[in-house]
Amino acid sequence: MDPKGISILGSTGSVGQSTLSVIDYVNAQTDDPVFEIEALAAGKDVETLAKQALKHRAKFAVIADPSLREDLNVLLADSEVEVAAGPEAMTSAAARPCHRVVAAIVGSAGVASTLAAVQAGNDVALANKETLICASGLIFSEAKKSGARIIPMDSEHSAIFQVLGKKCDVEKLILTASGGPFRTTPVADMVNMTVEQARNHPRWSMGLKISIDSATLMNKALEVIEAAYLFDMGPDEIDVVIHPQSIIHSLVSYRDGSVLAQLGEPDMRTPIAYALSWPEDRIGTEVKRLDLAALAQLDFEEVDATRFKAIDLAKRALTLGGTAPLILNCANEAAVAAFIAGECGFMDISSTVLETLERFELNGFSKSPPSSVEEIAFLDAEGRRIARDVLSAAT
């Protein structure tokens, strides 16, 4: 059997590197490789991209920053790897025929390439939640036309995907959240939290932006929106519960009173492996096996809405519908960037998102979801502009 081609968009990030780790392990278990690398794409980390392309014998390597093309050419000069750079090259990488495209580019920057993959009929293992938040209508419409399937790769949505029965039987989806680094920090002290403190996640090693989102619980809020779109559920049908051990990744509550949960060690390689293999037999991983006796107990807490405003913001955006989820996302990205740059405080992130949403609400934003990449880009830019205005007025 020929190996299955995998393209990884965002290969130098944590999800991309974990995906390559899973592929290495699976291929090492058999005489003939199960997977091969069709394309690798990264933003600016040209040296890591080149090393990955050489090690994994990628057919195609793309760097998003066109100014780095020559650097990539030099690093891959003596190889058979095809090299390209720039936004169009990213969409070309996504559209190359393959078994699965791993969409792991952080933020709204991943929308165009994910859309290109879907339009080409490639199944997408989705680790970029912002794509659905910004362009769910467009993504699902194009997937229906092409026959492409969207397989959740975030651990929470993978958990739901694995245990979800008939939708008519489902009462609620329950996402779990670790609570991040400030789960027990007094609310009054959170005003003075630094970037270094916010990025120090107790369970996961992630990029800077997503680490900040986890500290505000905005990452979980975005997952609420993604879950609503993936599984066709309303905001009142999705709950979040704090679960510090991160062993239960999500639960589904059914109308007969039963609750099904997916458990496992907090390791992204498990949902990655499932997303690469579904709907066929599961593939093995090196993930540590769960020892319930050693755990002894699992703890749960309600989300403190005073400490973490993001969940309510997400449900408000879902209720408003239309372009509101997109505006929430771009306002958050602008506010997080300002916090990282030292231009606002930690608690200003959620308040900026709230005021940006309110301004759009007052201005009569569209009730229809964006219908093109160009419209998404325009709204994204407008949302960021308003968020920056909000931040400027606060200083």
Side-chain angles (χ1 to χ4, degrees), residues 181-182 194-202 204-209 211-212 215 339:
F182 304 142
T194 67
V195 172
E196 287 304 312
Q197 289 171 310
R199 75 184 304 175
N200 188 24
H201 196 279
W204 304 97
S205 176
M206 305 175 290
L208 179 55
K209 192 267 179 182
S211 294
I212 304 301
F339 173 63

Side-chain angles (χ1 to χ4, degrees), residues 181-326:
F182 304 142
R183 179 175 66 88
T184 60
T185 303
V187 175
D189 294 343
M190 290 174 66
V191 175
N192 299 315
M193 292 297 103
T194 67
V195 172
E196 287 304 312
Q197 289 171 310
R199 75 184 304 175
N200 188 24
H201 196 279
R203 286 285 172 184
W204 304 97
S205 176
M206 305 175 290
L208 179 55
K209 192 267 179 182
I210 194 171
S211 294
I212 304 301
D213 282 348
S214 294
T216 62
L217 246 63
M218 182 58 76
N219 191 49
K220 198 59 50 180
L222 297 176
E223 289 174 7
V224 167
I225 298 174
E226 183 183 7
Y229 291 145
L230 279 171
F231 306 114
D232 190 24
M233 303 292 282
D236 293 335
E237 297 173 304
I238 305 173
D239 284 344
V240 176
V241 63
I242 301 294
H243 170 46
Q245 292 93 349
S246 300
I247 295 298
I248 295 179
H249 301 299
S250 277
L251 310 94
V252 180
S253 174
Y254 292 91
R255 62 181 181 175
D256 63 1
S258 62
V259 178
L260 300 184
Q262 190 263 358
L263 291 75
E265 288 288 338
D267 191 319
M268 272 302 296
R269 290 176 295 179
T270 296
I272 287 170
Y274 189 78
L276 293 181
S277 63
W278 181 87
E280 298 171 10
D281 294 343
R282 294 174 188 253
I283 55 179
T285 70
E286 294 180 282
V287 172
K288 177 184 175 184
R289 278 15 185 192
L290 188 61
D291 185 342
L292 288 173
L295 275 172
Q297 71 179 55
L298 299 174
D299 300 311
F300 303 92
E301 307 165 6
E302 290 186 355
V303 174
D304 182 345
T306 302
R307 182 189 308 273
F308 301 118
K309 302 180 186 299
I311 305 300
D312 287 342
L313 288 171
K315 292 193 174 187
R316 178 172 181 168
L318 275 172
T319 300
L320 290 170
T323 58
L326 186 159

Side-chain angles (χ1 to χ4, degrees), residues 104-111 128-131 134 209 329 333 384:
I105 297 173
V106 175
S108 56
V111 172
N128 170 267
K129 59 184 67 63
E130 291 87 353
T131 289
C134 295
K209 192 267 179 182
N329 179 69
E333 289 189 12
R384 290 171 193 271

Side-chain angles (χ1 to χ4, degrees), residues 38-41 49-50 53 58-63 72 76 81-85 93:
E38 179 65 32
L40 297 176
L49 176 63
K59 297 177 183 178
F60 192 44
V62 177
I63 195 76
L72 190 59
L76 296 175
V81 182
E82 183 183 351
V83 171

Side-chain angles (χ1 to χ4, degrees), residues 118-202:
V118 168
Q119 289 173 328
N122 287 328
D123 288 348
V124 173
L126 187 66
N128 170 267
K129 59 184 67 63
E130 291 87 353
T131 289
L132 289 190
I133 291 162
C134 295
S136 61
L138 191 56
I139 293 291
F140 287 127
S141 172
E142 293 299 318
K144 186 175 182 180
K145 292 177 188 176
S146 69
R149 298 175 294 184
I150 310 296
I151 303 100
M153 190 179 265
D154 270 345
S155 58
E156 295 80 5
H157 303 93
S158 175
I160 294 169
F161 189 62
Q162 292 179 53
V163 303
L164 191 66
K166 293 188 295 183
K167 183 177 180 295
C168 63
D169 291 337
V170 176
E171 194 169 71
K172 280 201 173 185
L173 307 181
I174 305 169
L175 305 180
T176 57
S178 69
F182 304 142
R183 179 175 66 88
T184 60
T185 303
V187 175
D189 294 343
M190 290 174 66
V191 175
N192 299 315
M193 292 297 103
T194 67
V195 172
E196 287 304 312
Q197 289 171 310
R199 75 184 304 175
N200 188 24
H201 196 279

